[in-house]
Amino acid sequence: MGASQMEGAREVIAEQIVVGDPSGFAIGCAFLGDNRCTEISMWANGINLLGFTKEDCHYTTRWLYLEGLVAWLNSFARNITEDPFPIEAEGEFAAEKDAYARAQLPEVDDDSTDEEMDELDAQYDLFGNWSFEHTWISERGGAILPDIFFEYKNGMIELSWDNRNAGDGVVFDCEFGGTRVDAETFKKVVLDFVEAYEQHWGIKVDDDSTWLRKG
């Protein structure tokens, strides 16, 4: 969605809500028109993690059919469990550990041998699947969405991000770092938000056919 389209979407707001307290943890959304376009914000300790600048204009994530993203949040909140980053790596938060682990991967090129390629795959497999499962990026569809890691640790949800190379002229407000929010607060806010999203659009986000429907 280009800048002009995003500006236009702002003009027709059917309903706007904020679930939670932005100074701690909150999710806000504006339901735009009747075609399932939703603008979403996620605040942690007063910062909107989804804010970004493109073409000199500031936005927050918005797109049609965010059911996959909402379903991912719903699943994570309902299945919170201790699952630490799987290898020893420098960094306080998962995003920092992931960046460190990637920097340690062996360099390969067109002249690399099969053995060198196998070594790369083996090292990546040690943490790559974990990183993929602890971010929502697979559910972004066509939305401009920051890469955020979600990890439960000691009664807190650690939210961390590495968006230093977003590309396409996008600069995220949160480029590299992390923060923590209370896990119980996180769970309540997410589940209340999911319920509000489903009620407004008249859908169930865990229905695999939902994204195909418009009513």
Side-chain angles (χ1 to χ4, degrees):
M1 184 179 289
S4 61
Q5 290 173 292
M6 289 190 286
E7 287 288 354
R10 288 179 172 174
E11 297 175 1
V12 183
I13 299 177
E15 181 182 0
Q16 194 164 14
I17 64 169
V18 175
V19 181
D21 179 356
S23 67
F25 181 72
I27 299 177
C29 63
F31 302 112
L32 307 174
D34 57 4
N35 62 353
R36 295 242 291 279
C37 183
T38 303
E39 179 180 88
I40 184 172
S41 303
M42 178 181 286
W43 290 281
N45 300 316
I47 301 171
N48 177 21
L49 306 183
L50 309 190
F52 65 92
T53 299
K54 181 178 173 65
E55 298 176 1
D56 297 323
C57 294
H58 191 263
Y59 305 101
T60 190
T61 296
R62 64 183 59 78
W63 199 249
L64 302 172
Y65 309 113
L66 287 176
E67 282 77 64
L69 180 65
V70 179
W72 190 96
L73 283 169
N74 184 52
S75 177
F76 181 85
R78 292 183 182 278
N79 298 282
I80 292 175
T81 185
E82 195 98 21
D83 183 22
F85 196 77
I87 64 173
E88 290 293 326
E90 293 183 7
E92 180 180 1
F93 296 101
E96 297 164 342
K97 294 176 182 179
D98 178 82
Y100 176 84
R102 290 176 187 274
Q104 307 311 305
L105 291 172
E107 294 185 6
V108 296
D109 54 33
D110 292 341
D111 297 323
S112 297
T113 65
D114 290 343
E115 289 76 12
E116 290 170 330
M117 294 298 296
D118 288 344
E119 181 184 358
L120 171 65
D121 290 341
Q123 290 194 29
Y124 179 78
D125 286 345
L126 292 175
F127 68 92
N129 290 337
W130 187 97
S131 295
F132 182 79
E133 292 171 357
H134 285 75
T135 66
W136 57 11
I137 207 66
S138 62
E139 300 295 348
R140 68 181 172 183
I144 297 175
L145 183 72
D147 195 357
I148 298 178
F149 289 80
F150 296 75
E151 181 182 0
Y152 173 74
K153 188 185 297 182
N154 300 323
M156 306 292 284
I157 300 296
E158 293 190 349
L159 305 168
S160 59
W161 48 86
D162 186 356
N163 301 298
R164 292 172 292 181
N165 300 300
D168 197 29
V170 173
V171 178
F172 285 103
D173 296 355
C174 298
E175 288 195 293
F176 190 54
T179 192
R180 298 177 178 87
V181 298
D182 176 73
E184 288 300 318
T185 300
F186 174 91
K187 180 176 182 177
K188 181 178 184 343
V189 167
V190 168
L191 296 184
D192 286 351
F193 161 70
V194 171
E195 181 180 3
Y197 185 93
E198 291 180 329
Q199 287 183 351
H200 180 86
W201 294 122
I203 60 171
K204 287 292 184 182
V205 296
D206 58 358
D207 179 350
D208 289 341
S209 65
T210 289
W211 68 277
L212 295 172
R213 301 196 305 270
K214 294 186 177 181

